[in-house]
Amino acid sequence: MPNNPPQTYTAAQVREAEVPFLERGVPLMQRAAQALAHEAGVLLEARRGGVAGARVLVLAGSGNNGADALYAAERLAHRGALLCVLPTSEHLHREALEAALAQGADLRPTDEPAEVIAGLAAAADLILDGILGTGTSVAPALRGTARSVVAAILPVRSGEQPPLVVAVDLPSGIGVDDGSVPDPTVLPADLTVTFGGCKAGLLTHPASGYAGRVVVADIGIGAELERIRRRDLA
């Protein structure tokens, strides 16, 4: 018998639920990164028998999703993974980037040619998609460098031995609330690790076709999130 689908929430509800925890200094980002690293590690163990020596390509944007991806990659590096960071913005989360670099990450420039990007993707065992997050719900389509990076990787993803792709909270470029895909330049994920609660768009067509398997990571905001949902229904 199939499992019941998880309760879904809007991006605004999740952001509101996080506020009291952030105000108290609860390390939600570190909790998210830990969950992300764990799930990515499970995939690598299943595919290649372990994390040590695995090549992890981090697509890092300027927001919290990029930071989550970088912190998760740092944790994977502690287990022997080899990191390559491909920024889609000039402004990455400084502490998260420094943490990854301290573990030997190879930081690439934002203006890499398409053929170089494709080569990095082809050499990777796993790609972390941390380009965009829930803050782009109004206009989710990828633009500029981010779109060029994904466009260069897509042919590799459809090859004979594609890298695994783990989406950080949601595949970059989908409508987090309505499941829209305004531009098909989206990197399909094998797994989406979403934080706190399942975003509605992950279970809504057509975005659900890009999310792969969805894992909801408990970062400790569940009770507050459910309170907000019930309030909004009243």
Side-chain angles (χ1 to χ4, degrees), residues 103-149:
Q103 294 302 316
D106 174 21
L107 177 62
R108 311 300 296 224
T110 56
D111 58 352
E112 289 280 31
E115 59 271 20
V116 173
I117 294 170
L120 293 172
D125 294 296
L126 182 141
I127 297 173
L128 290 176
D129 171 10
I131 300 173
L132 295 181
T134 58
T136 56
S137 55
V138 175
L142 297 176
R143 294 173 175 79
T145 298
R147 188 180 189 281
S148 298
V149 165

Side-chain angles (χ1 to χ4, degrees), residues 79-92:
R79 299 172 61 184
L82 308 174
L83 309 183
C84 180
V85 177
L86 185 59
T88 61
S89 168
E90 296 287 351
H91 306 288
L92 301 185

Side-chain angles (χ1 to χ4, degrees), residues 4-223:
N4 293 326
Q7 178 62 58
T8 60
Y9 305 90
T10 67
Q13 288 171 331
V14 174
R15 287 194 294 269
E16 183 181 350
E18 290 176 340
V19 168
F21 296 90
L22 295 173
E23 289 177 344
R24 297 200 303 269
V26 176
L28 296 184
M29 182 175 289
Q30 296 298 337
R31 292 180 180 179
Q34 181 61 39
L36 180 61
H38 170 75
E39 296 295 342
V42 169
L43 284 185
L44 287 170
E45 287 164 2
R47 169 166 286 194
R48 59 189 309 279
V51 175
R55 294 160 297 183
V56 176
L57 176 61
V58 184
L59 308 182
S62 60
N64 288 344
N65 275 32
D68 293 335
L70 289 165
Y71 277 129
E74 175 208 14
R75 285 164 166 78
L76 291 172
H78 280 291
R79 299 172 61 184
L82 308 174
L83 309 183
C84 180
V85 177
L86 185 59
T88 61
S89 168
E90 296 287 351
H91 306 288
L92 301 185
H93 188 285
R94 181 174 58 83
E95 291 84 359
L97 177 60
E98 289 176 353
L101 293 177
Q103 294 302 316
D106 174 21
L107 177 62
R108 311 300 296 224
T110 56
D111 58 352
E112 289 280 31
E115 59 271 20
V116 173
I117 294 170
L120 293 172
D125 294 296
L126 182 141
I127 297 173
L128 290 176
D129 171 10
I131 300 173
L132 295 181
T134 58
T136 56
S137 55
V138 175
L142 297 176
R143 294 173 175 79
T145 298
R147 188 180 189 281
S148 298
V149 165
V150 171
I153 293 174
L154 283 175
V156 176
R157 188 72 172 93
S158 60
E160 291 185 5
Q161 292 183 313
L164 295 163
V165 174
V166 177
V168 182
D169 208 23
L170 73 163
S172 299
I174 73 161
V176 61
D177 291 335
D178 63 6
S180 62
V181 182
D183 183 325
T185 309
V186 175
L187 193 59
D190 296 287
L191 171 69
T192 295
V193 182
T194 193
F195 308 124
C198 186
K199 284 68 180 178
L202 294 174
L203 302 186
T204 306
H205 181 76
S208 57
Y210 292 84
R213 183 167 62 91
V214 177
V215 169
V216 180
D218 181 7
I219 58 172
I221 67 170

